[in-house]
Amino acid sequence: MTTESPRCLVVGWLYGTKMNIYGDRGNVLAIAQRARWRDIDVEIREIGFGESIPDDVDIFFWGGGQDQEQVAVSHDMQGEKAEQLRTSIENGAAMLAVCGGYQLLGHEYRPHNGEPLRGIGLFDATSMAGPERFIGNVVVNSRWGILVGFENHSGLTWLGEGVEPLGKIQVGCGNNGQDGTEGAIYRNAIGCYLHGALLPKNPALTDWLVEMGLRHRYGSADLPAIDDDLERRAHETAMQRAFTTR
Amino acid sequence: MLTKLTARLEQGAVIVAGTNGKTTTTRMIADVFELVPWRVVHNRSGSNLVRGVIAAFVQRASLTGCPGGEIAVIEADEAALPELVRRVRPRIILLNNLFRDQLDRYGELDTIGKTWRGVLKDLDAGTTVIVNGDDPALVAISDSLAAKRVCFGLDETTHRLDVLPHAADAAVCRVCGADLAYHALYVSHLGDWYCPNCGRKRPELTYTGSNIQLYGVESLALDISEGEGHSHHLTVGVPGLYNAYNALAAASVAREVGVPWELIGQAFDAFRSAFGRIERVQYKGRDLTLALVKNPTGFNEVLRMLTAETGGLALPTMIAINDLDADGRDVSWLWDVDFELLARGKGDLYTTGLRGPDMANRLKYAGVALDRIHSLPNELPAGLDAFVEAVPEGYAAYILPSYTAMLALRKTLADRGAVDAFWEQ
Ligand SMILES: [Zn+2]
C-alpha cells in the first residue's frame, strides 16, 4: 500500500459552452471518467473568450461550433493566446480537436464567402469550404488500431507534406474525400473530423491522451487496464454499422 | 393548388412549427376546433411535408375545389415552413420552440433561424405570429414584424431547472452579444430570460401559464391567464412539463381565433397522446409505458418525468436506439442527453436497438453502476422479449425507443394483440 497523494490531471476545454455541438462533450466526459476510474483526480476548466490559456493544462479538448461561433472563436484564438496554446503543445500537453477546432489548428479556413478565418498553424494544414457535405459513419486505421466515428462536414482539409494524418480512411470520406487521410497529428495533439462522440467508443485513443497528460505532469505514466466490455461492444457495433450503411 | 384551396377556407389556416411537440400541439388545436364545431383540414398522419399537406386537402376537397372544411391546421417541419407559408398565406403561425435536433437532417440552428426570419419578414398585418416568449431565439427572429406578434410563456415557481441542460444552446443576447441570464428556467433554454448587460428581456406575455401540476406519466393541470384577465384552470390528458408548453401554445392559438375557454378546457381534458408519443400497454401481464425519444431535449424531458417523484429511476427501463434515417444516423446526440439523472435510483437499465451498445456505453459514462446496465440483443423484437422476460409478471416498466424503434415495437405489440390500455380507458 502506498500512501502518496492521488495523481491529478487538468483538462482544458476550449470554448466549452460555445463550441459543443454533436455531443462532443462526450470526449471530455470520457477523458475524465477513464482517469477517475484509475483514481486520478480530474479538474475540468473551461477556457472561454478573452481568457488566457493556463500553463498547467495537461489535456486540451476543442470541439466544433456553428458558423457564427466559429468566426468569433477564430478571432479570439490569436496573438498571445495562440502562442500560449502552441507552447503548451510543444511542452508535451495532449490535445484532441474535432471539426471546427481541428480546422483552426491549421493555417486557415477559407469559407465560400467572406474573409478566411486564421488558425494557429499548429498543423501544417489548410481547410476550405467544399462543394458537398460528407455525412456518415467512418472507420479509420490508425496507430491506435481501428477508430470509429461519424463525420458531418463540408470543409475540406489538406495536409502539408510530411504531416502525419490520424489515420487512413477505411470507410467514409475523411479530410477531403480524395487522399484517403483523416485528421492530423503533431506531437501529442490530434485533430480530426470524427464525432460520435469519438473517445467513449475508442478507449485506446482516450487512454493514450490520459497517458500523455500524465507524462506531461509527472514525466511518467502508469495506467492500469480496466474493464472495457461496453466500450468494445459500442466500437464493434459502430464498425458494423459503418460497413452496412456506406 | 394549395394556395387556391386555402384561400377558400372560411376561417383560414394555422401553421404549427417548432422542433418538439408539433404533432401533439397540432392535434390539440384541431381537437379544440372540432368542438366549435368546425371541419378541420389537418395533416394528421405525420406527413408534414408540403405534399402531405396537399394530400390532406385533396382528401377533403370536393371536385369543385371547395376545401371541405372551415379551417386548416398544418404541422410544418423546419425545412418545409418557408414554402408552406408562401403557398398557404396563413392566418396564424405558431412558433413553439427551436431545439437542436439531429443536425444531419436539418442543418444548423442558425440557418433555420435565418430562414424563418426571412419568411416572417414578408408577412403582412393579416397574419398573427404566436411565439413562445420563453425562447429567446424565437423572440429575436420575430422582433419588429409587419405581422402582429403575440407571446405566451410560463410564470411558474415549482418546476424550474437549476442549470442549463447540456443539450441547450447557451443563449446570447441578439442586441449586445452578452450571455443571457434567467429569472427562471423551465425546459432546455426556455424560461424567463433577460440580458444582464443591456436590459433586453422576455417580451410581455399575452398568455401566461402557471401553477402547473404534473401527474406522473398520466396527465397534467395548469392555469392560463389571458392579458390582465383572471386565469382558467385546465386539465390536460397528457403528461410532462413539455406538454404544459404544448397546451399553452394550443390555447393561445384557439383564443386568437376566438374560441371560448370552455371549449378549450373540454378538448384538453379529453385529449390523449398521439400514437407512440407516450402510451401504456398491457403485455404478458406487464404494465409497460412507452415514450418516444427523438432528440436531446425531448429525451431530457422524458427522463425528468420518469424521475420526478422519487428523484431517481424507480422502474426497470429499456432504451431502444436505432440509427436509421428517421432516427438520425448520427448517435452523437446521446452524449447531449443528461443521463446522469439515472445514476440515482434502483431501476435497472436495459439497452437494445441497432445502437443499443452505444446507449449502454453512454450510461456507463453517465455514472450508472455497471450492475444496473444490461445489454439485450440489438434486434427487435428479440430485445423486447428479453426485456419482458426480465420484468416480473404484474410489474410496471418503461420503454424509451427512438422513432424507428418505436415503429418496430408498436408493430410487434399490435401483431401480438397486446391490449392498449390507454385507448380502453
Ligand atoms: Zn443585451
Side-chain angles (χ1 to χ4, degrees), chain B residues 173-178 180 195-200:
Chain B
C173 177
R174 295 289 151 148
V175 174
C176 73
L180 294 180
C195 173
N197 187 44
C198 74
R200 188 179 150 76

Coordinates of all heavy atoms in Angstrom, one line a residue, chain B residues 173-178 180 195-200, ligand 1:
Chain B
C173 N -27.5 37.3 -26.2 CA -28.4 38.5 -26.5 C -28.2 38.9 -27.9 O -27.0 39.1 -28.4 CB -28.0 39.6 -25.5 SG -28.9 41.1 -25.9
R174 N -29.3 39.1 -28.6 CA -29.2 39.4 -30.1 C -28.8 40.9 -30.2 O -28.4 41.3 -31.3 CB -30.5 39.1 -30.8 CG -30.8 37.7 -30.8 CD -29.9 36.9 -31.8 NE -29.8 35.5 -31.3 CZ -29.6 34.4 -32.1 NH1 -29.5 34.6 -33.3 NH2 -29.5 33.3 -31.5
V175 N -28.9 41.7 -29.2 CA -28.6 43.1 -29.3 C -27.1 43.3 -29.0 O -26.4 43.9 -29.8 CB -29.5 43.9 -28.4 CG1 -29.1 45.4 -28.4 CG2 -31.0 43.8 -28.8
C176 N -26.7 42.8 -27.8 CA -25.3 43.2 -27.4 C -24.4 42.0 -27.3 O -23.2 42.2 -27.1 CB -25.4 43.9 -26.1 SG -25.8 42.8 -24.7
G177 N -24.8 40.8 -27.6 CA -23.9 39.7 -27.6 C -23.6 39.0 -26.3 O -22.9 38.0 -26.2
A178 N -24.0 39.6 -25.2 CA -23.7 39.1 -23.8 C -24.5 37.8 -23.6 O -25.5 37.6 -24.3 CB -24.1 40.1 -22.8
L180 N -27.2 35.5 -22.0 CA -28.4 35.8 -21.3 C -28.5 35.1 -20.0 O -27.8 34.1 -19.7 CB -29.6 35.3 -22.2 CG -29.8 36.0 -23.5 CD1 -31.0 35.3 -24.2 CD2 -30.1 37.5 -23.3
C195 N -31.2 40.0 -20.4 CA -29.8 40.3 -20.7 C -29.3 41.1 -19.6 O -29.7 42.3 -19.4 CB -29.6 41.0 -22.0 SG -27.9 41.5 -22.3
P196 N -28.3 40.6 -18.8 CA -27.8 41.4 -17.7 C -27.0 42.6 -18.1 O -26.7 43.5 -17.4 CB -26.8 40.4 -17.0 CG -26.7 39.2 -17.8 CD -27.7 39.3 -19.0
N197 N -26.6 42.6 -19.4 CA -25.8 43.7 -19.9 C -26.6 44.9 -20.5 O -26.4 46.1 -20.1 CB -24.9 43.2 -21.0 CG -23.9 44.2 -21.5 OD1 -23.3 44.9 -20.7 ND2 -23.7 44.3 -22.8
C198 N -27.6 44.6 -21.3 CA -28.3 45.7 -22.0 C -29.8 45.8 -21.5 O -30.5 46.8 -21.9 CB -28.2 45.6 -23.5 SG -29.3 44.4 -24.2
G199 N -30.2 44.9 -20.7 CA -31.6 45.0 -20.2 C -32.7 44.4 -21.1 O -33.8 44.4 -20.7
R200 N -32.3 43.9 -22.3 CA -33.3 43.3 -23.1 C -33.9 42.1 -22.3 O -33.2 41.4 -21.6 CB -32.6 42.8 -24.4 CG -33.5 42.3 -25.4 CD -32.6 41.8 -26.6 NE -33.2 40.7 -27.3 CZ -34.3 40.9 -28.1 NH1 -34.8 42.0 -28.3 NH2 -34.8 39.8 -28.7
Ligands
ZN1 ZN -28.0 42.5 -24.3

